[in-house]
Amino acid sequence: MVTALALSFAVIFVAELGDKSQLMAMTFALRYRWWVVLTAILTATTLVHAASVFLGHFLGLSIPTELMSIVGGLSMLVFGLWTVRGDELDDDEASRAGRVGRSVFFAVMSAFLLAELGDKTMLATIALAADHDWLGVWIGSTIGMVAADALAIIVGRTLGRHLPERTIALGAAVLFFGFAVWLIAEGLAGASAPVAAVTIVGALVITAVGVFWIIATNRRRAAEAAHAETDTASDDVTQIAK
């Protein structure tokens, strides 16, 4: 259990660096009491990771360990590419961070529950629980995510929005790629030739699709930034004319 706890803590802590929910944590912490935000995050994370561990644990009972290691490695490759691409808050998530009702706690908790469903940290928890002690994974993944979000809250409240997010994200991506190589190599150690071939092809396809996705996203962001600059310049000209 201790090994599962330590591994889950490390993987989820890395996964959360530069993640969308970490950006949301910083946004909420800039507006509301830090302890309310952190408590809401802890509650949401406990619930989401309990569901993830349940799915992963019972899924892992019916799948060979070698195959789960390969799947986990391919998942880490996806997480690494996802981290290189970077997360961003869409309009709906940004509005949640800027608007609360009567209870800040329930607003933050519901926002994080929705943000984490299907997120890479949830998928990573499922993969870990399939091949490790479920209780250790649940505790470790929960603590790892809360610790990462607590770090975001501290840094966010101290430095505001001026954070080296890209450097942190790239460092996390390198660690994910390292986890991917380690897990895939471990899974292929006793695998048959067909399994090894399918795994290698799968890794190449994932990498190609991920690179294309990253390039397309960067181009879109550059176009949006250029459009925003054009709109700003037009507004300035209009103000001068008036």
Side-chain angles (χ1 to χ4, degrees), residues 102-121:
R102 296 179 180 178
S103 173
V104 173
F105 174 84
F106 286 107
V108 176
M109 186 182 71
S110 63
F112 272 84
L113 279 172
L114 294 174
E116 284 303 303
L117 292 177
D119 192 58
K120 63 178 180 284
T121 50

Side-chain angles (χ1 to χ4, degrees), residues 35-108:
W35 58 270
V36 176
V37 175
L38 194 60
T39 304
I41 292 173
L42 173 61
T43 304
T45 301
T46 301
L47 294 174
V48 171
H49 287 189
S52 302
V53 166
F54 177 81
L55 293 174
H57 178 67
F58 288 100
L59 180 64
L61 291 178
S62 59
I63 297 179
T65 303
E66 294 79 7
L67 182 57
M68 282 308 305
S69 181
I70 292 172
V71 172
L74 294 176
S75 299
M76 295 302 167
L77 179 59
V78 173
F79 302 152
L81 293 167
W82 192 340
T83 304
V84 171
R85 173 189 176 270
D87 271 312
E88 52 194 352
L89 297 178
D90 58 30
D91 293 339
D92 183 49
E93 288 161 342
S95 66
R96 275 195 223 112
R99 181 183 69 246
V100 292
R102 296 179 180 178
S103 173
V104 173
F105 174 84
F106 286 107
V108 176

Side-chain angles (χ1 to χ4, degrees), residues 108-144:
V108 176
M109 186 182 71
S110 63
F112 272 84
L113 279 172
L114 294 174
E116 284 303 303
L117 292 177
D119 192 58
K120 63 178 180 284
T121 50
M122 180 179 182
L123 299 178
T125 304
I126 292 175
L128 288 167
D131 200 31
H132 297 83
D133 180 82
W134 68 269
L135 183 59
V137 172
W138 184 21
I139 296 173
S141 62
T142 301
I143 296 175

